[in-house]
Amino acid sequence: MFFLCKWDELPEYMKNDEVRKYYDILSQKKLALFLKRLLDIMISCVLILILIIPMVIIAIIVKCDSKGSVLFRQTRVTTNGKRFKILKFRTMVDGAENLGGLITEANDKRVTKIGEKMRKYRIDEFPQVFNVLVGDMSFVGTRPEVERYVNKYTPEMYATLLTPAGITSMASISYKDNDEFFTDPELVDKNYIEIILPEKMKLDLDYYRRFNAFYDLLVMFRTVGSVLH
């Protein structure tokens, strides 16, 4: 996505006064949106060349560690409500979606041994460089949600769908360690929808006010620092 689509072309549920505020902000940053997409293409191409051999090795390790497919694919929501398949290395046992909820609980028994280490360093997200290359995602933006949680959005939260979903964001950095909210299986969904999601969305919406290509680079560097720390 290089530019915003026309307001009239947005889905009806996005055309409200709250979303309009952020639409107007972004409409003044068309050059920054162009540079954002340009950087996404350039960086994803470079990373694919760098990571292709490591990803092949990781794929072999995942396959040997537990039965099941190497990649985890799940339908998420991105720009203007578009559905796409997010790509990750599988970090849970085969059929995990039938053994628990959508949110990974603290000390979730479904996570494999190698999966736990991949999650810690976000290695499982390497395949998302392909999602970025085709334009379904960006390196920086709101983490893509499943439709179940998008349906819980407030009118203002729908503004986060004006731009592509992201691999990382200030919200992702700030809430990377929130296991205390996911210790009780019966409250996992409730805590995410009522506590975590609203707070993350505040940061994601603030991103539009700060957004420019250099800010995206800053967020990417902070993400690397956060993971290594």
Side-chain angles (χ1 to χ4, degrees), residues 53-133:
I53 293 179
M55 283 196 286
V56 170
I57 295 172
I58 293 167
I60 294 172
I61 294 173
V62 171
K63 192 66 178 178
C64 293
D65 182 61
S66 61
K67 71 174 184 177
S69 62
V70 169
L71 292 177
F72 170 74
R73 299 177 179 85
Q74 187 180 55
T75 301
R76 301 285 181 97
V77 182
T78 186
T79 323
N80 303 334
K82 175 186 173 184
R83 274 64 176 167
F84 77 104
K85 292 288 187 180
I86 194 171
L87 301 176
K88 294 185 179 186
F89 283 120
R90 181 175 56 81
T91 60
M92 289 187 169
V93 296
D94 190 37
E97 63 277 8
N98 299 319
L99 302 173
L102 294 171
I103 302 295
T104 305
E105 302 168 13
N107 303 312
D108 200 310
K109 302 300 183 183
R110 297 174 296 171
V111 179
T112 63
K113 291 182 180 179
I114 189 65
E116 184 177 358
K117 296 185 182 301
M118 287 197 295
R119 282 170 173 262
K120 180 177 180 180
Y121 297 105
R122 299 185 69 169
I123 294 171
D124 60 313
E125 297 183 5
F126 282 2
Q128 287 168 41
V129 293
F130 294 102
N131 288 130
V132 173
L133 183 61

Side-chain angles (χ1 to χ4, degrees), residues 10-223:
L10 290 174
E12 288 301 320
Y13 61 84
M14 289 182 64
K15 289 190 284 189
N16 63 65
D17 292 340
E18 295 299 318
V19 172
R20 185 77 205 207
K21 292 187 301 183
Y22 298 97
Y23 183 91
D24 290 342
I25 290 173
L26 290 173
S27 66
Q28 302 299 315
K29 300 185 177 186
K30 292 182 178 179
L31 177 59
L33 288 170
F34 172 80
L35 292 176
K36 177 183 181 68
R37 180 60 185 146
L38 189 62
L39 281 173
D40 280 344
I41 294 172
M42 293 172 60
I43 296 174
S44 60
C45 286
V46 171
L47 286 179
I48 288 170
L49 291 175
I50 294 173
L51 295 175
I52 191 65
I53 293 179
M55 283 196 286
V56 170
I57 295 172
I58 293 167
I60 294 172
I61 294 173
V62 171
K63 192 66 178 178
C64 293
D65 182 61
S66 61
K67 71 174 184 177
S69 62
V70 169
L71 292 177
F72 170 74
R73 299 177 179 85
Q74 187 180 55
T75 301
R76 301 285 181 97
V77 182
T78 186
T79 323
N80 303 334
K82 175 186 173 184
R83 274 64 176 167
F84 77 104
K85 292 288 187 180
I86 194 171
L87 301 176
K88 294 185 179 186
F89 283 120
R90 181 175 56 81
T91 60
M92 289 187 169
V93 296
D94 190 37
E97 63 277 8
N98 299 319
L99 302 173
L102 294 171
I103 302 295
T104 305
E105 302 168 13
N107 303 312
D108 200 310
K109 302 300 183 183
R110 297 174 296 171
V111 179
T112 63
K113 291 182 180 179
I114 189 65
E116 184 177 358
K117 296 185 182 301
M118 287 197 295
R119 282 170 173 262
K120 180 177 180 180
Y121 297 105
R122 299 185 69 169
I123 294 171
D124 60 313
E125 297 183 5
F126 282 2
Q128 287 168 41
V129 293
F130 294 102
N131 288 130
V132 173
L133 183 61
V134 300
D136 287 332
M137 295 182 68
S138 174
F139 281 105
V140 180
T142 302
R143 285 297 295 169
E145 297 286 0
V146 296
E147 191 168 0
R148 166 179 167 75
Y149 295 128
V150 173
N151 290 337
K152 302 293 184 180
Y153 281 9
T154 64
E156 184 180 34
M157 290 178 183
Y158 284 124
T160 61
L161 301 178
L162 289 171
T163 54
I167 292 180
T168 189
S169 66
M170 291 305 297
S172 298
I173 296 171
S174 300
Y175 286 90
K176 72 183 183 71
D177 297 316
N178 48 28
D179 282 356
E180 68 271 20
F181 295 102
F182 304 135
T183 54
D184 187 340
E186 295 184 3
L187 294 177
V188 168
D189 224 40
K190 178 181 173 64
N191 285 344
Y192 183 72
I193 293 172
E194 297 182 4
I195 301 174
I196 301 297
L197 185 61
E199 291 302 314
K200 288 175 65 175
M201 282 294 177
K202 288 179 183 178
L203 293 174
D204 287 329
L205 291 168
D206 185 59
Y207 165 70
Y208 286 152
R209 299 186 182 91
R210 300 169 179 264
F211 163 64
N212 59 55
F214 294 106
Y215 186 70
D216 273 15
L217 290 173
L218 173 64
V219 173
M220 283 188 267
F221 282 122
R222 290 193 64 173
T223 298

